[in-house]
Amino acid sequence: MHEMSIIESLLDAVRAELVKYPGAQVTVVRVRVGALRLVVPDVMESCYAAATLGTPLEGSRLELEAVAATARCPQCQREFAVQEQWFECPKCQAVGGELLTGQELDLMNIELEETGAVATA
Ligand SMILES: [Zn+2]
């Protein structure tokens, strides 16, 4: 279950950010996840709940924003949606497109009780 290792690294990033806000209570953690990460949102959420149990983050919510996978054709430069990780240009059928999006795993922001959202770098 690779979701758990993803959650662990996200939580490291969250904790590093929270060092600046001692005593803050987290309500929501927002994350952008690319389609090629192949995570199951339900599994991510239950892993998050399990990993935060008994920690200061217990009771906070994980919100996922899905990012579709796109690539750019090496020949005609067309940008296209990647289907099933097959990088074939729909216009000229060239393969080996350059991946533009789909690998994201970015901590977007952390919402704290009362003090509002905290933008992360
Ligand atoms: Zn093309």
Side-chain angles (χ1 to χ4, degrees), residues 72-80 88-95:
R72 182 187 291 127
C73 175
Q75 282 188 24
C76 71
Q77 307 301 314
R78 181 186 168 125
E79 289 180 17
F80 59 93
E88 184 183 272
C89 175
K91 192 176 166 193
C92 71
Q93 275 75 51
V95 292

Side-chain angles (χ1 to χ4, degrees), residues 1-74:
M1 185 163 63
H2 78 141
E3 281 85 353
M4 192 48 109
S5 59
I6 290 174
I7 291 293
E8 292 294 348
S9 53
L10 282 175
L11 287 177
D12 284 346
V14 170
R15 289 188 191 105
E17 194 61 30
L18 288 178
V19 168
K20 299 177 210 162
Y21 306 92
Q25 186 61 48
V26 174
T27 52
V28 182
V29 171
R30 288 195 185 85
V31 177
R32 275 161 65 90
V33 186
L36 298 182
R37 291 280 176 174
L38 303 173
V39 299
V40 181
D42 284 356
V43 176
M44 285 284 277
E45 282 158 27
S46 50
C47 284
Y48 181 85
T52 55
L53 204 65
T55 78
L57 289 167
E58 182 176 350
S60 63
R61 202 153 38 84
L62 179 68
E63 276 187 17
L64 300 176
E65 186 191 323
V67 182
T70 57
R72 182 187 291 127
C73 175

